[in-house]
Amino acid sequence: MSLHGTTMTLIISLDLLAQVHAHGEDAYPEEGAGFLLGSEEGGQRTVTQLFLTGNAREDEARHNRYLVTPENYLKAETTADSLGLSLIGVFHSHPDHPNRPSEFDREWAQPFFSYVITSINEGKAFESRSWRLADDRSKFEEERIISR
Amino acid sequence: MTTLKIPTPLRYYTDGQAEVTVNGPDVATAMRNLVEQYPTLEQHLYNGHGDLRNFVNLFLGENNIKDLQGLETPLNEGDTLRLIPSIAGGSDDFSRRRLKSLLQKLRRNTCSPD
């Protein structure tokens, strides 16, 4: 659980994590997604706000795919800037599927970002785990979530 | 010279800069110039075939270059190009749970009483 020689940790409040779970449950049986806004210091990231987005994929693909349009990306980044925060990651749900990144997740992943994935089992959020893409893009590495 | 705006996840590779200056008469050349200046960006922007990755979107002003002349879109002195990633992903096509659900459906259909 280290990248660039530092221990990776994502700190998120219980309330914000509950909002991530609720967003996934609302989107079920489709995938839901959004951005994590916050700050980073020494490999430790703190989420202070969420930016919820819709799923721009076509209807028949939304059960196992999500897409955020460039326009929504720009809105999220502008919002983060205006609040003095940074975009530090993305969250999305895996309906009836484990909260591990898929090969498709890896192909489309951005470096640097934390990717929080929540399993939604039969409509109920089960658990979230967070991942970061390795520098050589070969795999994801898990980072510890601290929720308090 | 063209100003290229860099999205947050790629700024780690541009020494934290949100915008950089690139040179080139068109978008393709300017993007190659970007990775010449910041070589560690290349693996994230280009695939193994030398093509820009699917998630790379480039806007010249308000216009997606796909609606202009693509990578051959000419650049003029003072233009601003913005790189915006498409954020995408998703689970594998088949999970154990989905498979179980499909099998249950199949069993219901094949074992139903006459």
Side-chain angles (χ1 to χ4, degrees), chain A residues 12-26 36 47 50 52 91 116 118 120 124-128 145-148:
Chain A
I12 182 168
S13 69
L14 288 169
D15 178 53
L16 288 176
L17 190 60
Q19 289 181 45
V20 168
H21 289 179
H23 191 59
E25 290 175 353
D26 288 346
L36 307 170
V47 182
L50 304 178
L52 308 182
F91 64 91
V116 171
T118 305
I120 309 290
K124 294 295 292 179
F126 169 64
E127 181 196 40
S128 294
I145 293 181
I146 297 177
S147 190
R148 58 192 180 205

Side-chain angles (χ1 to χ4, degrees), chain A residues 16-116:
Chain A
L16 288 176
L17 190 60
Q19 289 181 45
V20 168
H21 289 179
H23 191 59
E25 290 175 353
D26 288 346
Y28 185 89
E30 298 174 351
E31 296 204 0
F35 289 96
L36 307 170
L37 279 56
S39 57
E40 174 175 8
E41 194 174 333
Q44 181 172 286
R45 293 176 174 172
T46 304
V47 182
T48 49
Q49 191 158 325
L50 304 178
F51 185 95
L52 308 182
T53 67
N55 185 344
R57 280 301 299 255
E58 61 278 21
D59 289 352
E60 59 273 21
R62 285 185 198 155
H63 68 284
N64 70 341
R65 294 286 182 263
Y66 75 92
L67 172 67
V68 178
T69 60
E71 291 75 16
N72 271 337
Y73 174 88
L74 202 53
K75 278 184 196 169
E77 195 164 76
T78 306
T79 301
D81 287 346
S82 68
L83 295 168
L85 301 172
S86 294
L87 279 189
I88 56 173
V90 173
F91 64 91
H92 75 278
S93 57
H94 279 181
D96 296 325
H97 195 277
N99 44 17
R100 291 191 302 270
S102 66
E103 180 60 17
F104 190 78
D105 283 326
R106 189 183 64 80
E107 284 172 19
W108 284 78
Q110 301 303 307
F112 173 79
F113 271 172
S114 292
Y115 281 86
V116 171

